[in-house]
Amino acid sequence: YRKYMSLALMGIMAEPKDFFDNEDEKPRELTEQEKEEIRRRYERKKLERMKRRGMKEFEINGVRVLALNYKNALRKYNNAKDYKIN
């Protein structure tokens, strides 16, 4: 317990610059390729989470729909069709 307390006190007394080497530098901008990779990874993880929750993937007229069952998938497809943006 005393060992951890002394480490905590040392952390409190330390200067913030001790933890951050390049605080004056701005982070670099992501390239379009990196942004696209992040988007793809996000979509892949989102799909995995939905499937773990029991969702299934249905294809209706060439459109992928995630739903619990086919009836629900048809309802989602028809609702999305009404809001389609050209």
Side-chain angles (χ1 to χ4, degrees):
Y1 177 75
R2 290 179 189 259
K3 177 181 175 183
Y4 297 117
M5 183 62 98
S6 63
L7 289 174
L9 289 174
M10 287 182 355
I12 292 171
M13 294 186 308
E15 293 287 326
K17 65 180 181 175
D18 296 338
F19 299 109
F20 305 106
D21 294 336
N22 58 352
E23 68 180 43
D24 295 334
E25 294 180 24
K26 291 170 56 176
R28 70 176 178 82
E29 289 290 321
L30 294 175
T31 64
E32 287 301 317
Q33 184 179 9
E34 290 170 330
K35 289 179 185 177
E36 185 60 33
E37 176 61 31
I38 290 170
R39 279 188 214 105
R40 272 185 284 171
R41 191 177 308 147
Y42 173 78
E43 289 298 322
R44 190 171 54 241
K45 293 283 186 182
K46 183 178 173 183
L47 181 64
E48 288 174 11
R49 278 194 307 271
M50 299 286 269
K51 286 186 176 181
R52 266 185 292 185
R53 292 182 185 163
M55 301 285 232
K56 296 178 190 82
E57 194 171 344
F58 298 95
E59 187 161 330
I60 302 171
N61 294 335
V63 177
R64 281 184 359 182
V65 180
L66 286 172
L68 290 173
N69 54 41
Y70 187 73
K71 182 180 175 183
N72 194 348
L74 278 175
R75 184 180 54 80
K76 286 183 176 187
Y77 172 76
N78 288 328
N79 286 341
K81 189 170 57 172
D82 294 340
Y83 298 107
K84 188 171 185 179
I85 299 172
N86 293 336

